Amino acid sequence: MNVILVFLAAIAAIIIWWLSGQRLTSKPWLETGSVQLPEHDGTEQRQLPPVKIGLFVFLGVVGAVFSLAVSAYFMRMASADWWGMPVPRLLWVNTAALALSSAALQWARREAGHGRMESLRPALVAGLALAVFFLVGQIQAWRELTAAGYVLADNPANSFFYMLTGLHGLHILGGLAVLAHTTGRAFSTDVAPDRLRLSVDLSAIYSHFMLAVWLLLFALFAGWANDFVDLCRTLLN
């Protein structure tokens, strides 16, 4: 149990560190007006939209859900009926695609901030296409595993793999719906630049968070997290 708590504390620390970088440590309920954040040049002030605060709260909930699932994963590993399953090589390609998608959306975020629509559009399209590639690759990885005999009900390790990757994939799919809408608006001639900039910003933040979650899950499936647990057990003992 101590090892699980240490692992959850590490995940929580990553989430808190990431959220603190988004200026969530401010106390808007103690201020009389809207939350004020400095612009990039440090000379002007801008408001933190409520929808962005809502996204941060949602990501906190998502992080808690995955943390609980990971804790259950570690507890179940101690069972006698648990045996590991191979990590498809395709997951490495999928991981690279998701990382590139996140990088493309960060590029789009920068271009939107400078109002450069001509470079914003290809960045959004690239981010969207790479995220779709990731989902297709995940489905293909499932097919490879089931064809090799690693079915859902075969053992708990298989069940957790399909459950965690499926849950992550559903969140990616939800983000894709928003990103596709944002990309379509970027090609519209009557879109408001401020609203488009906010949509791109939210999509980029969501993408970065889901990439961080996937890297943690991938480390779990590849066995690197087990090495971390062994290290924690050694330190605790």
Side-chain angles (χ1 to χ4, degrees):
M1 178 61 71
N2 290 333
V3 175
I4 295 173
L5 292 177
V6 170
F7 186 78
L8 288 177
I11 296 176
I14 294 174
I15 295 173
I16 293 172
W17 170 81
W18 182 83
L19 292 177
S20 65
Q22 303 296 329
R23 299 293 299 274
L24 283 184
T25 54
S26 60
K27 298 182 177 62
W29 56 87
L30 298 180
E31 302 177 10
T32 57
S34 300
V35 179
Q36 300 292 322
L37 291 176
E39 288 286 356
H40 297 293
D41 58 6
T43 61
E44 299 179 358
Q45 300 291 318
R46 62 183 173 90
Q47 296 180 354
L48 182 63
V51 65
K52 182 175 287 189
I53 298 177
L55 175 63
F56 294 149
V57 173
F58 174 74
L59 293 182
V61 174
V62 172
V65 170
F66 277 103
S67 296
L68 291 174
V70 170
S71 67
Y73 182 96
F74 278 115
M75 287 188 290
R76 197 66 177 86
M77 282 179 62
S79 302
D81 59 346
W82 179 284
W83 62 89
M85 59 185 299
V87 176
R89 294 182 179 180
L90 184 57
L91 290 189
W92 289 93
V93 179
N94 297 346
T95 301
L98 190 61
L100 290 174
S101 175
S102 185
L105 290 180
Q106 182 61 34
W107 170 33
R109 188 182 187 185
R110 184 180 67 249
E111 298 305 306
H114 291 87
R116 295 192 286 256
M117 297 296 296
E118 293 303 321
S119 52
L120 167 64
R121 296 186 183 106
L124 287 174
V125 171
L128 179 63
L130 286 166
V132 171
F133 180 89
F134 171 81
L135 281 182
V136 173
Q138 293 293 84
I139 295 174
Q140 180 60 31
W142 279 15
R143 296 180 62 183
E144 290 181 2
L145 287 171
T146 54
Y150 297 96
V151 296
L152 177 66
D154 193 23
N155 78 90
N158 296 4
S159 300
F160 269 97
F161 176 85
Y162 289 117
M163 184 268 290
L164 289 173
T165 55
L167 183 61
H168 181 265
L170 286 176
H171 283 87
I172 292 291
L173 186 61
L176 274 178
V178 177
L179 180 57
H181 178 69
T182 301
T183 304
R185 291 175 59 193
F187 286 89
S188 176
T189 57
D190 58 349
V191 61
D194 290 340
R195 296 193 63 180
L196 179 61
R197 188 181 303 115
L198 176 60
S199 296
V200 174
D201 193 28
L202 296 176
S203 294
I205 292 171
Y206 187 84
S207 175
H208 299 339
F209 184 84
M210 295 313 300
L211 172 62
V213 171
W214 171 248
L215 291 177
L216 288 173
L217 293 180
F218 188 49
L220 190 70
F221 301 140
W224 304 330
N226 298 340
D227 296 336
F228 173 77
V229 170
D230 292 338
L231 176 62
C232 292
R233 184 179 293 110
T234 301
L235 294 175
L236 291 173
N237 294 333

